[in-house]
Amino acid sequence: AQSVTQLGSHVSVSEGALVLLRCNYSSSVPPYLFWYVQYPNQGLQLLLKYTSAATLVKGINDFEAEFKKSETSFHLTKPSAHMSDAAEYFCAVRAYSGAGSYQLTFGKGTKLSVIP
Amino acid sequence: GAVVSQHPSWVICKSGTSVKIECRSLDFQATTMFWYRQFPKQSLMLMATSNEGSKATYEQGVEKDKFLINHASLTLSTLTVTSAHPEDSSFYICSARVFRSEAYEQYFGPGTRLTVT
């Protein structure tokens, strides 16, 4: 079964500092991996996804993530944090659920706070 | 783009009543829609998967008689919480999936906040 683990339920960074949100996955097959952002009382917005092409994936708002098979990781980074980046971030893996169907399995989320 | 809407965005109901939440894909047809539940400060938990014209597939532990899902068309799925109780208070998020550009893409609605008093 596929799963993801997000290390750190809460991360605080200063405005302008590097953002690093960690995600490790477990999968018996080559995974498709995703990062989503959720602002308060809103749905999920896709930041980026890895679908077995380039290992370094660039997403919206200057976020990027690198797929490292040897470390089973897909950490999310951003060079310089903005106040508007404060939100909840979810890592997800696409899992096969049988009968030709797939579903997303989410990590527990990491809340990012940005300190002015 | 691909937009998924939910209605209502928030609802307060009394214990014992039923509440219907609509999920619509506005500019695409979705053969599959998903319903998630999110408790405060927690992740999304998949409740059920529905395919247009067929019965929904519920995840283990989700009561199908309590959470009725209807996927009547390629652009509309509804979730009805029957005989709601305070423990059903949660944030419900739907998601619609479409096959495009040789891959499945999944888009999420803005969520519905349900409060049962």
Side-chain angles (χ1 to χ4, degrees):
Chain A
Q2 288 87 349
S3 65
V4 290
T5 301
Q6 291 183 242
L7 301 177
S9 59
H10 193 182
V11 171
S12 292
V13 300
S14 297
E15 190 175 14
L18 171 72
V19 175
L20 171 60
L21 304 181
R22 300 177 185 273
C23 174
N24 288 88
Y25 70 90
S26 173
S27 178
S28 57
V29 297
Y32 280 21
L33 295 160
F34 306 78
W35 274 102
Y36 288 89
V37 61
Q38 184 182 33
Y39 296 99
N41 294 312
Q42 295 187 29
L44 273 65
Q45 180 182 3
L46 179 66
L47 282 176
L48 50 80
K49 62 181 177 182
Y50 167 76
T51 57
S52 74
T55 56
L56 181 62
V57 182
K58 294 186 182 297
I60 62 173
N61 301 335
D62 294 328
F63 281 97
E64 62 181 37
E66 186 172 7
F67 174 73
K68 292 187 177 181
K69 184 177 179 180
S70 61
E71 299 177 7
T72 61
S73 68
F74 189 58
H75 302 330
L76 181 70
T77 60
K78 180 173 180 175
S80 176
H82 292 170
M83 297 299 295
S84 60
D85 294 327
E88 189 89 21
Y89 292 80
F90 291 96
C91 181
V93 62
R94 194 183 78 170
Y96 181 65
S97 56
S101 183
Y102 296 87
Q103 65 188 44
L104 291 175
T105 298
F106 290 88
K108 293 187 176 182
T110 298
K111 182 178 181 179
L112 175 66
S113 297
V114 182
I115 304 166
Chain B
V3 179
V4 177
S5 71
Q6 282 185 241
H7 178 80
S9 55
W10 60 270
V11 58
I12 301 173
C13 71
K14 292 185 177 182
S15 185
T17 62
S18 295
V19 175
K20 179 185 286 187
I21 302 170
E22 291 186 350
C23 175
R24 294 182 184 272
S25 56
L26 297 185
D27 49 2
F28 65 99
Q29 293 184 328
T31 54
T32 302
M33 288 187 172
F34 303 89
W35 286 96
Y36 295 85
R37 184 174 181 177
Q38 185 180 30
F39 290 104
K41 300 182 179 180
Q42 294 190 29
S43 188
L44 281 73
M45 299 301 295
L46 180 65
M47 299 174 66
T49 302
S50 74
N51 292 296
E52 184 265 338
S54 62
K55 291 183 178 181
T57 301
Y58 290 81
E59 295 300 301
Q60 191 173 10
V62 178
E63 300 175 60
K64 62 180 181 180
D65 294 330
K66 180 168 187 60
F67 299 99
L68 301 178
I69 292 173
N70 184 284
H71 194 158
S73 74
L74 289 173
T75 59
L76 173 64
S77 177
T78 60
L79 168 67
T80 301
V81 183
T82 63
S83 187
H85 288 96
E87 57 265 31
D88 298 325
S89 298
S90 189
F91 195 53
Y92 293 87
I93 301 175
C94 76
S95 178
R97 188 172 71 188
V98 62
F99 190 80
R100 56 173 55 166
S101 302
E102 301 181 354
Y104 283 106
E105 301 288 350
Q106 192 168 335
Y107 303 96
F108 289 82
T112 296
R113 172 80 55 197
L114 170 63
T115 301
V116 184
T117 61

